[in-house]
Amino acid sequence: MTDDLTQTAMATWAAKDLPARLLSAQVAKVLNCSTDDIAILVTAGKLKPLGRPKPNAVKFFSAIELIALLADRDWLDDATKTIILYWKRKNAHRKGLPLEKLSDGALTD
């Protein structure tokens, strides 16, 4: 993270009165998604929890790091595509459809 981006993230964090560590529900609120979507992003490696939590442990996320990611449009685009692709695959699997039959070919493998 560059110094300018760090300074901007720190200023935003201070102005929003956010704690330094955020729970999944707080991150979901900031990203305007569900807590299930946060788990998807963690599994895909798009979000990294603090420490080395076990899969079933409560996960905390860095507020500063999250604010920096929010400033990156490419990351937001990639995270959105990751969530969309996950749910498309899950729904296709549930309906017994092969992925090739999905209407939006851009998001399939």
Side-chain angles (χ1 to χ4, degrees):
M1 195 179 325
T2 65
D3 288 336
D4 291 338
L5 186 58
T6 302
Q7 293 299 331
T8 304
M10 293 286 279
T12 304
W13 171 60
K16 294 290 183 187
D17 195 33
L18 292 171
R21 296 184 317 159
L22 300 173
L23 292 167
S24 293
Q26 293 169 311
V27 174
K29 186 176 180 181
V30 171
L31 288 176
N32 193 27
C33 64
S34 71
T35 52
D36 291 335
D37 294 340
I38 299 302
I40 293 165
L41 293 174
V42 169
T43 302
K46 307 292 181 201
L47 275 179
K48 186 175 179 191
L50 296 171
R52 288 185 177 180
K54 298 206 181 241
N56 62 342
V58 174
K59 292 172 182 55
F60 292 97
F61 300 88
S62 168
I64 296 294
E65 190 174 302
L66 180 64
I67 291 168
L69 289 173
L70 293 174
D72 183 3
R73 187 186 191 295
D74 291 334
W75 181 86
L76 281 173
D77 186 54
D78 195 31
T80 302
K81 287 178 183 176
T82 300
I83 293 168
I84 291 169
L85 182 58
Y86 173 85
W87 289 112
K88 274 192 166 200
R89 285 181 174 166
K90 183 168 182 152
N91 289 332
H93 179 69
R94 185 171 42 100
K95 293 177 182 177
L97 299 173
L99 287 178
E100 296 81 35
K101 299 282 183 183
L102 293 175
S103 60
D104 188 2
L107 291 176
T108 60
D109 292 327

